[in-house]
Amino acid sequence: MPLQAIRQQRLYRQIADQLHQLIERGEFPPGTLLPPERELAQTLGVSRASVREALIALEVIGQVEVRVGHGVLVGPLVPRGEQPVLGAAARQHPWQPDPELIEAFTLDPETEIPPHALLEARRLVEPEAAALAAGQMSEEALAGIRAAFERNVADNSSEIDARQQGQPYAANHTGDRLFHIRIADACGNPAYALLIRHILGHQYGIMFRRLQDLYLTTDMKTRSQRQHREILEALERRDSEGARQAMRAHLDYVMRVFFDS
């Protein structure tokens, strides 16, 4: 079967586009069945979950009909135009808030998430995001993580120099937050990425900044930067378990400094 291995982010989108291209080329004519999910997953080197999501995306645009227990039937060709399959599906069925729930669950943007709760949520999500990123991120994503780490190093150096010279310095920790955001972006799970982007895409609130003023020492910055380097090195080795453990140890350390010191 003329299929190519899939190794990048948003696997289900790429799988759906590749299958649609094969249908366009006549590899799977209308009225025939696509190969079983398990066979597609093995051929592409991806999970059955990703294959199933791809097939659902193709069904949403009317290209296939998923018949549970009987296979996936190819329908008449649905032209893609210039947009990939998922883009067409999203335009036809946009993801929208539930009007019955939006008022009950809308967060007040002016209310800061307490620092312990914020770190606790990150402690649950980020180690797994790091492990996933190590196993499947692209070289481009890895380069972005490296660049964020270098920004983190430069930010720390500028702050240390300013404080040693007795100059005021408004620390924003952009490089630190960008490092964590890019790891989540590279993990291939858009739900993890959305959560971390929402948490860290904002500047730290007044409570978090006050904790930093009181407890964030030069030694902690140096140690945190070293831990970031350990996370990066595990990612560069494509060591999923090493990345998971390094990220967990880093966030545990931050929580100890802020709340147990």
Side-chain angles (χ1 to χ4, degrees):
M1 187 187 307
L3 292 169
Q4 302 171 7
I6 300 290
R7 294 191 177 89
Q8 299 183 22
Q9 299 181 47
R10 301 297 175 90
L11 298 181
Y12 69 104
R13 178 173 184 165
Q14 295 181 64
I15 296 165
D17 285 334
Q18 189 174 156
L19 289 173
H20 195 276
Q21 289 172 7
L22 293 176
I23 292 170
E24 283 182 319
R25 295 209 304 261
E27 298 287 344
F28 303 115
T32 62
L33 295 176
L34 290 179
E37 284 182 0
R38 187 182 302 277
E39 181 180 333
L40 285 172
Q42 291 175 345
T43 302
L44 293 164
V46 298
S47 68
R48 287 187 67 182
S50 295
V51 170
R52 183 165 295 182
E53 289 176 338
L55 296 175
I56 293 300
L58 288 170
E59 185 177 55
V60 166
I61 66 167
Q63 182 56 75
V64 303
E65 179 184 349
V66 177
R67 298 178 174 180
V68 178
H70 298 283
V72 179
L73 182 68
V74 178
L77 180 64
V78 176
R80 287 192 308 157
E82 297 181 358
Q83 296 296 320
V85 169
L86 189 59
R91 289 195 303 276
Q92 292 179 30
H93 304 275
W95 193 34
Q96 297 177 335
D98 187 329
E100 292 189 67
L101 300 178
I102 189 169
E103 291 187 6
F105 294 100
T106 298
L107 293 174
D108 182 352
E110 296 183 0
T111 300
E112 179 183 355
I113 299 174
H116 188 273
L118 185 149
L119 286 168
E120 196 170 44
R122 291 180 58 191
R123 169 66 169 70
L124 290 172
V125 173
E126 290 198 60
E128 296 309 309
L132 288 170
Q136 65 181 39
M137 65 185 168
S138 65
E139 285 299 321
E140 181 181 7
L142 180 58
I145 296 168
R146 287 194 191 102
F149 174 73
E150 294 303 326
R151 168 67 188 273
N152 179 206
V153 172
D155 288 348
N156 288 343
S157 179
S158 296
E159 181 175 356
I160 291 171
D161 289 347
R163 294 190 186 283
Q164 288 177 344
Q165 297 172 19
Q167 299 174 353
Y169 186 88
N172 195 28
H173 305 283
T174 302
D176 186 328
R177 289 181 288 117
L178 184 61
F179 178 75
H180 288 270
I181 287 171
R182 285 189 173 167
I183 292 173
D185 283 346
C187 82
N189 186 317
Y192 283 175
L194 178 64
L195 177 61
I196 297 305
R197 276 180 170 271
H198 181 75
I199 290 175
L200 295 181
H202 297 77
Q203 294 182 357
Y204 288 132
I206 185 61
M207 292 174 62
F208 204 105
R209 294 200 303 273
R210 187 55 182 153
L211 272 175
Q212 291 175 323
D213 290 341
L214 292 171
Y215 299 107
L216 189 58
T217 64
T218 299
D219 177 68
M220 181 192 173
K221 282 184 176 297
T222 301
R223 185 166 177 178
S224 179
Q225 181 176 302
R226 185 167 63 248
Q227 291 170 346
H228 279 184
R229 183 179 295 280
E230 290 169 356
I231 295 168
L232 176 59
E233 289 173 350
L235 293 172
E236 290 174 331
R237 295 193 306 271
R238 306 285 177 167
D239 178 359
S240 293
E241 185 56 32
R244 178 187 288 112
Q245 295 298 334
M247 182 66 79
R248 183 176 292 132
H250 170 57
L251 292 171
D252 283 346
Y253 170 69
V254 174
M255 293 185 75
R256 284 198 306 273
V257 167
F258 284 160
F259 298 105
D260 293 336
S261 59

